[in-house]
Structure formats: C-alpha cells, structure tokens
Amino acid sequence: MVLAALLEKLEYELVSGSADMQIKDVVYDSRKVTEGSLFICIEGGTVDGHTFIPDVVKKGAKALIVTKDVSDLLPAGADVTVIRVKDSRYALAFVSAAYFGHPAEKLKVIGITGTKGKTTTTYLVKSILEHAGHKVGLVGTIEAIIGQEHIPANNTTPESYILQEYFAKMVEAGCDTVVMEVSSQGLMLHRTQGFLFDYGIFTNIEPDHIGPLEHKDFDNYMHCKGLLFKQCRVGIVNCDDAHYQDVIKDHTCQIETFGFAENADYRAQDLKLISGAGFLGIDFKARGKVNLDIELHAPGRFSVYNALCAIAICNHFGVTADEVKEALLQAHVKGRIELVKVSDDFTLMIDYAHNAMALESLLTTLREYRPKRLVCLFGCGGNRSKLRRYEMGEVSGKLADLTVITSDNPRNEEPQAIIDDIKVGISKTDGKYVEIIDRKEAIAYVIRHGQPGDVIVLAGKGHEDYQEIKGKKYPMDERDIIADVLAGRI
C-alpha cells in the first residue's frame, strides 16, 4: 500500500522522505522487519522500539513512525521516510485498520468491558446470535474464534494489529458480527482505536488491575473503562452498579440500561433458585424492552446479570424470544461456573475465581442454595502477591464448610510454601481444611468424599489446560482429571 493511505486518518509530521511510497508490510516487532516494511516504534513498559532503529533500517525498513527525534539513530546516508506522531500506539491502531482494509466496517462489532462477566457474556451473546443464524467471531480472555479456528489468547484484548488481522480473517470467513472483551488496559493502550463499536457494554466495576504497570488508582481504572463509551454508537450499561455514572461520564453514544432497578430498560424480576441432579440454576422474568421468561442452568444473581446483558444486546439483532430462551438454556462457558456432572447426589463445578473478590462472590452465591456442605478446592499462583493467598484463604475459611488447599500454578516457588501462606488466611477463621499438594489427588479426594447435597467448587484454573512448574507448562485439564477419577484411573 501507499504510505499516505495508511496515514490518512492520523495527524502527523513528515520529518523526512516522502509519504508517496509503497509499503510492503506493517511491523512493530523489530524481529519481523523485512525489505520495504513500515516499522512503528512502540515505547513499552520495559523496551523502547526506537532503540531498534539502526537494526531495522539495516534489515530494509523504508519508513518509520516515531514519537521523538531519532536523527542520531539513523545510519549515515539512510534513505528512510520518518513520520512523527504524538502516540505511536494510537498510530499503530489506525495504520493497522487501513492496512487490513478497515474490516470492522464490514462487521457488527460488540465490545464488552467490566471487572467481571466479560468472558461469560461474550459466549452467551455468541450462542444466542448463532442460534438465530448469525455467524459470529469472538475475541477474549480464553481465545479468539474465527469460523472453526480457535486461537489461544495471550491478552484479553490483543494488540491493535492482531485485532485488525482477526477482523479481516472473520470477514473472509463469512462472519457478520464479532463480540469481544475490551479490557481497561486495551482501551488505555489504544488497542481498540481505528474503528467504531456498534455496541459498547459495561457489566460492573470494582477495584482491580491497580498497580505500577496497570492503573495508578481506581479513578484511572474507571476512566479507562469509560473510553469505550466515546467510541461506540450505542452503550448498554448495568445501572445497578454504584459507579456506572462515573464510567459513562462524557459519553458520546446513545445509552440503554439493564439491571434489577425499576427504571432499567431491560430489567430482571421474580428470581427463583432452581436445582436438580448435579446442577444449580435460576429462573427470572426479563421485562422492559423485552417480555421473556428465562431459565438458566447457572447459579446466582451474577448469572442473571450476564444473561440480561446478552438479552439487551441481542434485542438489537431482532432475535426471537424462543431463540433467546433456547440458546441461554444450552450455553455454557469453559471454566466459568462450568457444571460437570459426576453424580446425581452432589454438584461439582469448575470456575476461574482466582482472587478473593471473585471467590467471595462465587461462594456467597452458592451458599444461597443451602448445600449440605460447600466444599472449595483451590490453590494460588507462585511468584505472585502473598496478600492474595492470605485473602483467598480467609474467604474460603469463612464461607466454605471444607477447604481443600492444593496447587495452582506454583511456577518457581515451592507448592508447600504457597499452601502455608494460604493457611495464614484460613487461620483467621474457624474453617475446616485439608491440604493435598498434588492437584490431581485433591480433585480425586473431593469427588470420592462427596456427600449427598454437597456443592463442590474447583476454583482458580477455570479454562486453563496446563500447570506451570519451574518455567515449564505441563498438560493438566481438570475435565480430563475428573474423567480419569470417575474411570478409576486416578
């Protein structure tokens, strides 16, 4: 493509060379530069792309996008076009969109942001819309789905170049819609610039992702979440959340609301807890802009919020009542309150809850079903905050009848040291616990000791299918372990 065409929606300064030149590739990783490339210098947390300029010019880069004076970095006599911009990540997003032919303009794009519920809601939306005949791509924490291809995710919201590449592949695969998780980091780092969302969704917000390499404080976290509502046509937001007005402050989109509030555009009412052989669920009525009676085979109020949010989104696609009800009944998300049938006598589920906030929300919800015993199996990751271990131990000790402390991803720490930290938190409660270092043995223990009326949670790993020990990832999928236990192989 001609460089000027890639830059058409950007403000920039032409420092040297000409924008009327052919570009063969767009690159932001110096290792991938080839002859005729445009190299975009990204300043990361630990690496500054500008430092690679001498190397990429030698490899054949013919144009550079920079944010500062680089004259002293250019090899003598180099015939290179230099474009200066205010923010190179912002530029990368717009250049990538142009490079791939603005694929988002050929799709209905749904972006979901929030502290909790993003992953589940994306899969619910995908399920409902596909039930109604749409072909839907997905981008999220677990994976990207393009047709029959499943690509494991490295980030909840991928870098803008990769995102645009996914969009282009979705168009090529015949998708008409994409539903994606939009992280606060993704918004802050401009990964979702270069296009307009048709629908922007806010699920909820609580203090999270606050630290030196993420957000400086809660206000900054809310501000970054709110950027979505300056980049979408219609915003659909949870009006029960105490901070929703702060998140949508200065929005530029049409706003619709969902929740339990009487004035919500999509509201849930008349909740009833239901349970059966090996499952927990909930019934509710969705009213306001819809009139639906919904049954979910997933527990708790947060499941209602996720479903109601999906209903609000899909209402814009003209999905029928029957299609919504059938899809919600059948939908499930790997590792998110994933019910695994092992017995008619007790209920077992896998969930990704890997911090105190998520674990407390989950266990509090399950307590509402009045189980004979609530059993919580979990561990904590190595080379991570000890505070998380204390907090999760205290939450489980307080809310579970029995805690089984085991390994998660110990990484480079000794599993027993992590377990000892968890026990510090449990010691603040009267909770009963057992410790079993080997996670496979721990899962076998809770299944073999399950009692009628128990609800058993395997927490922390969720969708992950590996265990990381001493720098190496070993295959370990809890679904396979459960199958092996039931077959007597463990």
Side-chain angles (χ1 to χ4, degrees), residues 66-298:
V66 303
T67 59
K68 52 192 175 185
D69 181 10
V70 296
S71 54
D72 60 334
L73 294 172
L74 290 169
D79 180 20
V80 181
T81 293
V82 178
I83 304 292
R84 188 164 181 171
V85 298
K86 185 177 179 181
D87 188 314
S88 55
R89 283 190 180 276
Y90 185 84
L92 174 63
F94 280 89
V95 168
S96 298
Y99 181 70
F100 286 105
H102 299 288
E105 294 177 2
K106 305 175 184 74
L107 298 161
K108 288 289 186 185
V109 185
I110 303 163
I112 302 177
T113 198
T115 304
K116 296 182 293 191
K118 297 188 298 295
T119 300
T120 300
T121 306
T122 55
Y123 282 89
L124 290 178
V125 170
K126 187 176 192 295
S127 177
I128 295 171
L129 290 179
E130 288 185 337
H131 210 73
H134 292 272
K135 190 164 185 180
V136 184
L138 182 145
V139 180
T141 301
I142 299 174
E143 62 190 343
I145 304 175
I146 305 170
Q148 298 303 309
E149 185 180 9
H150 292 248
I151 306 167
N154 292 319
N155 297 308
T156 296
T157 306
E159 189 55 81
S160 56
Y161 179 93
I162 297 171
L163 183 60
Q164 293 293 337
E165 185 177 29
Y166 285 169
F167 287 170
K169 288 181 177 180
M170 289 174 189
V171 171
E172 188 178 344
C175 294
D176 55 70
T177 304
V178 55
V179 57
M180 62 176 289
E181 296 182 52
V182 184
S183 68
S184 56
Q185 285 284 99
L187 288 161
M188 182 172 71
L189 298 175
H190 306 306
R191 292 174 185 162
T192 60
Q193 284 293 343
F195 65 96
L196 196 63
F197 289 91
D198 292 282
Y199 304 97
I201 318 302
F202 167 66
T203 60
N204 52 63
I205 195 163
E206 296 178 25
D208 199 11
H209 300 291
I210 295 168
L213 298 179
E214 296 185 277
H215 301 285
K216 63 180 182 180
D217 53 33
F218 186 48
D219 284 342
N220 178 255
Y221 181 48
M222 287 195 293
H223 167 75
C224 290
K225 290 288 190 191
L227 293 173
L228 179 59
F229 303 98
K230 299 174 184 176
Q231 197 192 332
C232 69
R233 294 184 173 91
V234 177
I236 301 174
V237 302
N238 175 4
C239 63
D240 291 347
D241 189 279
H243 301 285
Y244 95 94
Q245 292 282 11
D246 296 316
V247 171
I248 64 171
K249 183 182 178 183
D250 299 325
H251 66 85
T252 57
C253 59
Q254 173 191 335
I255 293 289
E256 294 181 349
T257 58
F258 69 93
F260 289 84
E262 277 298 317
N263 61 345
D265 294 314
Y266 300 87
R267 63 181 178 274
Q269 58 190 50
D270 298 339
L271 273 63
K272 293 184 178 66
L273 303 182
I274 58 173
S275 59
F279 88 92
L280 304 174
I282 198 161
D283 282 351
F284 71 97
K285 292 178 170 57
R287 297 293 186 262
K289 291 194 173 190
V290 293
N291 186 12
L292 300 170
D293 293 347
I294 300 296
E295 180 180 333
L296 301 174
H297 284 183

Side-chain angles (χ1 to χ4, degrees), residues 395-415:
V395 164
S396 189
K398 180 177 66 177
L399 293 173
D401 297 296
L402 175 66
T403 299
V404 179
I405 314 172
T406 187
S407 289
D408 191 283
N409 292 316
R411 298 186 177 91
N412 292 316
E413 286 194 67
E414 289 301 322

Side-chain angles (χ1 to χ4, degrees), residues 3 14-21 62 78-83:
L3 177 58
L14 180 61
V15 177
S16 65
S18 170
D20 296 319
M21 63 180 298
K62 294 301 180 186
D79 180 20
V80 181
T81 293
V82 178
I83 304 292

Side-chain angles (χ1 to χ4, degrees), residues 225-489:
K225 290 288 190 191
L227 293 173
L228 179 59
F229 303 98
K230 299 174 184 176
Q231 197 192 332
C232 69
R233 294 184 173 91
V234 177
I236 301 174
V237 302
N238 175 4
C239 63
D240 291 347
D241 189 279
H243 301 285
Y244 95 94
Q245 292 282 11
D246 296 316
V247 171
I248 64 171
K249 183 182 178 183
D250 299 325
H251 66 85
T252 57
C253 59
Q254 173 191 335
I255 293 289
E256 294 181 349
T257 58
F258 69 93
F260 289 84
E262 277 298 317
N263 61 345
D265 294 314
Y266 300 87
R267 63 181 178 274
Q269 58 190 50
D270 298 339
L271 273 63
K272 293 184 178 66
L273 303 182
I274 58 173
S275 59
F279 88 92
L280 304 174
I282 198 161
D283 282 351
F284 71 97
K285 292 178 170 57
R287 297 293 186 262
K289 291 194 173 190
V290 293
N291 186 12
L292 300 170
D293 293 347
I294 300 296
E295 180 180 333
L296 301 174
H297 284 183
R301 285 173 73 91
F302 52 73
S303 295
V304 175
Y305 276 115
N306 294 339
L308 193 62
C309 179
I311 290 167
I313 297 165
C314 294
N315 193 48
H316 287 271
F317 289 77
V319 182
T320 69
D322 285 344
E323 287 167 341
V324 170
K325 291 163 72 170
E326 289 170 10
L328 285 175
L329 198 57
Q330 296 170 13
H332 72 277
V333 184
K334 186 177 182 181
R336 283 354 190 237
I337 336 172
E338 181 184 354
L339 295 162
V340 182
K341 183 68 180 294
V342 296
S343 170
D344 287 341
D345 292 333
F346 59 87
T347 302
L348 183 142
M349 68 180 65
I350 297 171
D351 193 80
Y352 189 51
H354 60 288
N355 59 39
M357 180 172 63
L359 190 63
E360 183 168 23
S361 175
L362 176 63
L363 297 181
T364 301
T365 291
L366 297 177
R367 276 245 158 261
E368 295 176 0
Y369 288 82
R370 301 184 182 279
K372 177 179 178 182
R373 292 188 311 164
L374 180 54
V375 180
C376 179
L377 177 152
F378 80 97
C380 289
N383 305 109
R384 298 293 188 270
S385 168
K386 285 178 176 267
L387 183 61
R388 175 175 291 189
R389 302 170 191 176
Y390 306 150
E391 291 174 342
M392 290 185 71
E394 186 171 356
V395 164
S396 189
K398 180 177 66 177
L399 293 173
D401 297 296
L402 175 66
T403 299
V404 179
I405 314 172
T406 187
S407 289
D408 191 283
N409 292 316
R411 298 186 177 91
N412 292 316
E413 286 194 67
E414 289 301 322
Q416 186 62 55
I418 299 171
I419 288 173
D420 289 343
D421 285 337
I422 294 170
K423 285 159 61 178
V424 170
I426 288 189
S427 68
K428 296 179 181 179
T429 75
D430 296 325
K432 297 177 181 177
Y433 70 89
V434 297
E435 52 184 291
I436 303 172
I437 289 181
D438 187 300
R439 196 172 182 104
K440 292 180 182 179
E441 291 181 12
I443 292 171
Y445 175 88
V446 295
I447 292 175
R448 289 178 183 140
H449 290 82
Q451 299 176 15
D454 281 357
V455 171
I456 301 169
V457 180
L458 312 184
K461 295 292 290 175
H463 60 277
E464 293 179 354
D465 57 5
Y466 63 87
Q467 188 171 42
E468 188 177 344
I469 303 171
K470 303 293 184 185
K472 185 175 179 181
K473 290 184 177 181
Y474 296 87
M476 192 190 77
D477 189 314
E478 293 187 325
R479 296 144 205 84
D480 294 338
I481 296 171
I482 292 166
D484 286 342
V485 171
L486 296 179
R489 292 188 290 268

